[in-house]
Amino acid sequence: GAGVSQSPSNKVTEKGKDVELRCDPISGHTALYWYRQSLGQGLEFLIYFQGNSAPDKSGLPSDRFSAERTGGSVSTLTIQRTQQEDSAVYLCASSQADRNTEAFFGQGTRLTVV
Amino acid sequence: AQSVTQPDIHITVSEGASLELRCNYSYGATPYLFWYVQSPGQGLQLLLKYFSGDTLVQGIKGFEAEFKRSQSSFNLRKPSVHWSDAAEYFCAVGGSYIPTFGRGTSLIVHP
């Protein structure tokens, strides 16, 4: 596609429910990142996918968070048993494999846990 | 571990005034440095990047940044700010394959 696409753009969920956030990266980009942006905070790294390699999950804050990337393309971030502190904007980015290249960001999913 | 510090949470300037946003990084080797801008409700857009070579890099929208190894800095500048520049600005360092971002500087532009 023309850019990184994320859905939904907004999600309101009740505490304790599970949510799934979707990211469709730029075609041909092998690297995919998930970041979390809380109010007044910077971007917190969550998880990194590169091709068929095992993902780098070092940024996931708890075992309630998981992500997968199917067929080296679309990625889904799942948050189980959501808590109010999970409320944030979740940003997805993709890039070519070379670390010299920039990351292209989607518009994000604003998650509100009530 | 790599890290980025943006010491200014908010910067307020008048339209037409010059601008400098500060960024300090920590990285053990030659860093890959980026500045991104985020308008309200939008994702991040790359303004400019530095990998090697000329330490003064030009970006989009009239922005430039200077890499100073001795000061571990990569400050963003613009000679004359426009009202449309009001946004959140993020400095990032790469080197590993996972860019690390600063907490951002919010730019407020007064008419």
Side-chain angles (χ1 to χ4, degrees), chain A residues 8-93:
Chain A
S9 54
N10 283 282
K11 176 72 175 179
V12 180
T13 190
E14 293 182 351
K15 178 181 173 182
K17 300 287 188 182
D18 298 351
V19 295
E20 284 190 351
L21 312 180
R22 176 188 169 102
C23 173
D24 200 342
I26 292 173
S27 179
H29 280 189
T30 58
L32 187 147
Y33 310 83
W34 283 97
Y35 287 87
R36 178 168 70 175
Q37 184 179 24
S38 302
L39 189 63
Q41 302 297 313
L43 274 68
E44 175 190 7
F45 164 73
L46 297 177
I47 189 168
Y48 163 63
F49 294 90
Q50 175 56 268
N52 295 321
S53 302
D56 182 336
K57 305 179 182 180
S58 60
L60 295 178
S62 78
D63 58 8
R64 296 186 296 105
F65 287 73
S66 63
E68 63 177 19
R69 189 178 184 191
T70 54
S73 181
V74 172
S75 177
T76 302
L77 177 68
T78 301
I79 308 174
Q80 295 178 311
R81 305 180 302 281
T82 51
Q83 305 294 313
Q84 287 187 332
E85 60 263 30
D86 299 334
S87 296
V89 175
Y90 289 82
L91 291 166
C92 176

Side-chain angles (χ1 to χ4, degrees), chain B residues 59-72:
Chain B
I60 62 171
K61 305 184 180 186
F63 285 91
E64 66 178 27
E66 186 171 12
F67 170 59
K68 293 186 178 180
R69 184 187 300 274
S70 61
Q71 299 177 17
S72 297

Side-chain angles (χ1 to χ4, degrees), chain A residues 33 35 37 40-43 45 48 50 56 58 89 91 97-108 110, chain B residues 9 27 32 34 36 38 41-46 49 51 88 90 94-104:
Chain A
Y33 310 83
Y35 287 87
Q37 184 179 24
Q41 302 297 313
L43 274 68
F45 164 73
Y48 163 63
Q50 175 56 268
D56 182 336
S58 60
V89 175
L91 291 166
D98 192 325
R99 61 181 176 169
N100 283 349
T101 61
E102 68 184 270
F104 292 82
F105 283 82
Q107 293 191 337
R110 180 175 297 280
Chain B
I9 297 175
Y27 185 68
Y32 300 85
F34 308 84
Y36 288 84
Q38 184 182 34
Q42 302 296 311
L44 277 68
Q45 179 186 19
L46 182 74
K49 58 188 177 185
F51 299 139
E88 192 84 14
F90 292 93
S96 71
Y97 285 87
I98 303 170
T100 299
F101 288 79
R103 63 180 297 166

